[in-house]
Amino acid sequence: MHNRLNQKIGILGGGQLGKMLCQAGSKLGLDITILEKDHSFPAYQVCSSYVCGDITSYDDVMRFGEKMDVITIEIENVNIDALADLEKAGKKIYPPTDALRVIKDKGKQKMFYEGNGFPTSEFELLHGKDELIQLVMNHKLDYPFVQKSRTDGYDGKGVHIVRKNEDLETLLEGPCLVETMVDISKEIAVIVARNPSGEMMTFPSVEMHFHPTANLVEFLFCPSSLTPDEESKVTELAKKLAQKLNVVGLLAVEMFVDKNGEILINEVAPRPHNSGHHTIEACVTSQYEMHLRAILDLPLGSTALIRPAVMVNLLGEEGFTGETLYKGIEDCLKLGGVYPHLYGKKETKPFRKMGHVTIVEKSLDDAIVKAKFVQNHLKVISSNGA
Ligand code: ADP
């Protein structure tokens, strides 16, 4: 068992998720090395070491991986061919590359759901926007619908809601899919942890509230408002999916509950996820520690919620680009149960994820009151103004 803790762990990417993985790893005395382009990345302050390189380059990932025992990711946009060759050479790659190939491409994800009987909204794969426009012109596709880039979309950037003819002017470029627009009643996420021995644990579901224009999570609540029956349904669905995809590590499963109470899988991520930030302060074991336990094939322990929590994403304010300033942080630090996580990104941009704040309280209602205070007082701006 103790040899497992001595393995050299490599993470592709050193953003905020990599940073929080390193923080959890340092608690267990783990040796974690990050692959990143230069040293100005959030995890730099907290990783054991760092190798300079590009996570999308075959050669850089190979060179990095050869020195590691276990390799994981904090972002899907990595060189999978290199990971597959490292896997063949006997390195432990978690998530396994077969799962990563499916997940990295939203088109393949949807086909996987359809092919394996997982509920998801209806869709069609398209070569690009010309084909989409043809479908609309020929009345084979009716408004409203959702266009999504097959790869490289993140934080709502690869998602375009099309309601009317004018929206066709801003269609996304490249291979895409179109989905029926779901009449969403709730957006839910469940994070599953799975180790190579097949042990699985799920975190209590969370409910996400989105920013009306940026398509980004603004608030997240835990516990969610699901009934116990719905909770067990989403939990079972998430577990089945993790098993079918043969994921090792975490699988964050985003789901919609529609107005008829039907549960539909939206998308998944095989790594720590924005919807699990609150687990650091609110759960017995955080998602970050859970990911590390899982990839090291350690016992998973407990995911139980200790206290209700709200998570507020800190996004760069509109109109501010430049050196980061967290305005109003002192007012928030005066409040008990308010835990800011500032990612240390030197430059802010409109809607860039610059940090998050977790609020834990005796009741969810009390946490919501403080979350609204934080949202009104804490602003990410730049020192040089607009
Ligand atoms: P990202 O990968 O950027 O997180 P998502 O696929 O999760 O993209 O979409 C972002 C948001 O867009 C969703 O959380 C949801 O609010 C909205 N959305 C996505 N797909 C649909 C759909 N089929 N119907 C209605 N809303 C959708």
Side-chain angles (χ1 to χ4, degrees), residues 319-377:
F320 291 91
T321 299
E323 199 186 332
T324 310
L325 259 189
Y326 294 95
K327 189 174 139 238
I329 183 79
E330 291 86 353
D331 291 335
C332 298
L333 290 171
K334 284 178 196 154
L335 302 174
V338 173
Y339 298 94
H341 293 253
L342 309 179
Y343 299 153
K345 296 178 184 176
K346 300 234 157 42
E347 193 187 62
T348 181
K349 290 181 206 152
F351 300 119
R352 189 175 188 200
K353 279 188 189 154
M354 300 302 291
H356 75 264
V357 183
T358 298
I359 297 104
V360 289
E361 268 293 346
K362 283 192 289 298
S363 75
L364 193 59
D365 286 343
D366 290 344
I368 290 170
V369 171
K370 282 189 179 169
K372 293 215 163 119
F373 178 92
V374 169
Q375 204 190 30
N376 290 333
H377 288 77

Side-chain angles (χ1 to χ4, degrees), residues 106 148 155-156 159 179-180 182 187 210 215 254 266-267:
K106 282 190 180 178
K148 294 186 180 181
D155 290 351
V159 176
E179 280 181 20
T180 44
V182 177
E187 295 208 33
F210 278 73
N215 235 353
E254 293 184 32
N266 175 31
E267 61 165 356

Side-chain angles (χ1 to χ4, degrees), residues 121 144 146 163 180-187 256-262 264:
S121 61
V146 183
R163 291 197 167 85
T180 44
M181 179 98 175
V182 177
D183 203 0
I184 299 173
S185 138
K186 284 171 194 168
E187 295 208 33
F256 300 135
V257 181
D258 75 8
K259 293 272 159 66
N260 300 320
E262 203 186 331
L264 299 166

